[in-house]
């Protein structure tokens, strides 16, 4: 007999703290922690009320860089799932799935049954989530190649699958986009043939028009915009340029050279009240852009999809340091041969990626001043090389060296073949599905009159992002386990269930 059970239906919580109406789930939730004063700790509990709309509206996603490897892989993957496609490979028949998406492929422990066995439900049965098969998808690309040929250019999916999907994808052509060559590598110029022209203000308005047009023509309730275009160089943050919303809007009106393309897309989305997600490492969200999102109460999330090497690093550094071993050196080599790798082969765009990848061990080190002195941290080096032959099949090689008991050394060497876009596409889906959920949630402290939306900066999505953007003054969490349980426990809170404690006292007491 199985020692766990999986419930494949929506669940109902029977509790005086949870009310289901036709349109909402209202949960009263005790958020517990402890306040620390000197060496005195006082447990605290604050009652919060969450209100979640039950109805999932009609949602569309607009991808910037739609014709790239991620954009084509995601679009083809959704279509294949929608149509239930299967295809032959030399290893046999493969069928469409959503592996790699936590919303579609993981289960959550929700309690125990009468035999004290843990019961699990699929994550998307905890709270109503968007079904990716219902997602309308479209986008912009500086390359005007149709999506069928762009999928072929990407060389990611199996040929037999491509053949089945090609006729549908070839009818889809990306909308023209904004191209400012100085922001990405010069080697991208030869694909830039599908462009909007004009001043920055005019081009941003065209993007706003495209968003409205997409929403109206497809009859959508909500649109989410995702940047999955090339990595840009970092932009300067300067007083008067982009430090406030007003300054940023003025800089756009004045056609300032130092407003990046991605910031133009973010501002256009925010002004159209559409959630904006940044899947690349650059600092799109300059302070003025964040202030604008706060002013319009529009949700934003970033930066840089956390798919392969960094994801593993955020597990391993946690595992090593929280086993009491002193991680002293992390060296990561990557080589990849896709267009992302080509774009990252210039120093400015590489620098954005290097910065995004290098913060990942900081929080776990900072939390342990027992082994690490103040200001001490492990050596951490990241190398990325462009090797066309390996295509989208990125190689990531890491060496971790730990100091162990009584002067010993423990060395871990890893080789990780990341099918880059097939790892990233389901993450993009999760970001869209969870961000959409966040737009349906309102919260208030028990004593407050009014409900408000979540904080516009969605740090709850950190699990999916290499360099998580957090509200000003909040700690940044990189470790994968706390990030994942932040999402799971948050979804449980929305239906009035306690956080996963792993205590299992039902099995540990006499
Ligand atoms: P890609 O180069 O295949 O696709 C990027 C697309 O963006 C290209 O089609 C390009 O023509 C287009 N583009 C460039 N500038 C544009 C603009 N101004 N407007 C519209 N389109 C524009 O890259 P990819 O592999 O799809 O990755 C996309 C982004 O995601 C990269 O920045 C990459 O660093 C980031 N990322 C990818 C992964 C992963 O695992 N695949 C992980 C983390 C981050």
């Amino acid at each position: 007999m199985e020692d766990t059970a999986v419930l494949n239906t929506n669940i109902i919580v029977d509790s005086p703290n949870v009310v289901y109406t036709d349109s909402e789930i209202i949960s009263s939730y005790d958020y517990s922690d402890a306040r620390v004063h000197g060496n005195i700790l006082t447990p605290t509990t604050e009652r919060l009320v969450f209100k979640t709309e039950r109805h999932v509206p009609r949602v569309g996603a607009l991808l910037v860089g739609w014709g790239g490897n991620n954009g084509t892989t995601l679009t083809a993957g959704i279509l294949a799932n929608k149509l239930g496609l299967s295809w032959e490979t030399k290893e046999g028949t493969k069928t469409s799935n959503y592996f790699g998406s936590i919303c579609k492929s993981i289960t959550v422990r929700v309690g125990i049954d009468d035999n004290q066995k843990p019961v699990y439900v699929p994550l998307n049965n905890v709270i109503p989530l968007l079904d990716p098969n219902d997602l309308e998808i479209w986008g912009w690309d500086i390359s005007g190649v149709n999506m069928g040929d762009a999928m072929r250019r990407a060389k990611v999916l199996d040929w037999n699958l491509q053949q089945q999907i090609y006729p549908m994808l070839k009818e889809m052509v990306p909308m023209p986009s904004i191209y400012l060559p100085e922001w990405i590598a010069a080697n991208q110029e030869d694909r830039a043939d599908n462009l909007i022209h004009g001043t920055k203000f005019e081009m941003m308005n065209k993007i706003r028009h495209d968003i409205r047009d997409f929403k109206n023509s497809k009859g959508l309730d909500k649109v989410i915009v995702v940047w999955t275009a090339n990595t840009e160089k970092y932009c300067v943050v300067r007083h008067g340029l982009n430090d406030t919303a007003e300054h940023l809007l003025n800089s756009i009106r004045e056609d300032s050279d130092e407003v990046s393309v991605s910031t133009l897309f973010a501002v256009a989305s925010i002004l159209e009240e559409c959630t904006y997600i940044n899947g690349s490492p650059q600092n799109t969200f300059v302070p003025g852009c964040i202030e604008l999102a706060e002013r319009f109460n529009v949700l934003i999330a970033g930066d840089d999809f956390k798919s392969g090497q960094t994801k593993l690093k955020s597990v391993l550094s946690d595992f090593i340091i929280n086993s009491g071993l002193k991680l002293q050196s992390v060296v990561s080599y990557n080589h990849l041969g896709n267009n992302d790798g080509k774009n990252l082969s210039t120093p400015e765009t590489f620098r954005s990626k290097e910065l995004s990848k290098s913060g990942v061990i900081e929080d776990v080190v900072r939390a342990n001043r027992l082994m690490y002195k103040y200001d001490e941290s492990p050596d951490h080096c990241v190398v990325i090389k462009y090797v066309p032959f390996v295509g989208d099949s990125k190689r990531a090689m890491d060496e971790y060296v730990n100091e162990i008991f009584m002067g010993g050394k423990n060395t871990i060497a890893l080789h990780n073949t990341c099918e880059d876009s097939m790892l990233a596409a389901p993450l993009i889906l999760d970001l869209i599905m969870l961000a959409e959920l966040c737009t349906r949630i309102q919260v208030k402290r028990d004593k407050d009159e009014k409900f408000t939306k979540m904080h516009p900066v969605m740090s709850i999505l950190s699990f999916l992002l290499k360099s998580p953007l957090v509200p000003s003054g909040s700690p940044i969490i990189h470790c994968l386990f706390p990030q994942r349980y932040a999402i799971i426990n948050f979804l449980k809170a929305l239906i009035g269930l306690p956080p996963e404690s792993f205590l299992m006292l039902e099995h540990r007491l006499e």
Side-chain angles (χ1 to χ4, degrees), residues 64-65 67-71 140-143 153 177-179 184 191 227-231 261 265 279-281 304-305 307 338-340 353 420-421 424 466:
V64 194
N69 286 22
N70 288 347
W140 301 268
D141 206 293
I142 55 170
S143 158
R153 176 178 61 188
S177 190
I178 306 172
Y179 175 58
I184 57 177
R191 60 198 279 156
W227 178 277
T228 179
N230 289 132
T231 296
V261 179
F265 271 94
S280 300
D304 207 4
F305 306 127
S307 55
N338 55 17
N339 189 53
D340 181 26
K353 202 57 143 186
D420 233 9
S421 306
K466 266 204 256 307

Side-chain angles (χ1 to χ4, degrees), residues 6-11 100-110 120-130 429-431 433-434 437 461 463-464 483-492 494-495:
V6 177
L7 260 182
N8 260 325
T9 58
N10 287 329
I11 48 175
S101 152
I102 57 166
C103 292
K104 291 297 287 177
S105 301
I106 72 160
T107 61
V108 175
R109 182 189 173 282
V110 284
Y120 292 85
V121 303
L123 188 88
N124 59 349
N125 284 354
V126 174
I127 195 93
L129 288 180
L130 170 72
L429 213 46
D430 280 339
L431 283 161
M433 292 168 76
L434 292 169
L437 169 67
L461 302 182
F463 176 81
L464 303 153
Q483 288 177 335
R484 191 157 70 97
Y485 273 92
I487 295 175
I488 290 171
N489 288 335
F490 180 62
L491 297 201
K492 290 177 86 176
L494 298 179
I495 55 168

Side-chain angles (χ1 to χ4, degrees), residues 373-394:
K373 288 202 247 16
Y374 183 71
D375 262 1
E376 183 189 357
S377 55
D379 292 341
H380 187 185
C381 174
V382 177
V383 180
I384 304 179
K385 293 289 170 199
Y386 176 51
V387 179
F389 185 73
V390 300
D392 204 64
S393 186
K394 183 173 82 186

Side-chain angles (χ1 to χ4, degrees), residues 265-335:
F265 271 94
V267 171
S269 305
I270 293 166
L271 294 176
E272 291 303 315
E273 302 190 24
C274 294
T275 300
Y276 186 87
I277 296 165
N278 177 29
S280 300
Q282 72 275 341
N283 59 340
T284 301
F285 296 122
V286 291
C289 189
I290 297 175
E291 191 189 315
L292 198 67
E294 287 169 351
R295 193 187 287 174
F296 278 75
N297 228 334
V298 170
L299 302 188
I300 55 173
D303 298 318
D304 207 4
F305 306 127
K306 182 155 83 166
S307 55
Q309 184 181 48
T310 313
K311 198 169 201 165
L312 198 55
K313 202 175 279 178
S314 65
V315 174
L316 274 177
S317 53
D318 184 12
F319 143 64
I320 293 165
I321 295 172
N322 286 319
S323 305
L325 306 178
K326 187 170 182 186
L327 178 62
Q328 288 284 35
S329 154
V330 187
V331 184
S332 300
Y333 300 89
N334 301 255
H335 59 273

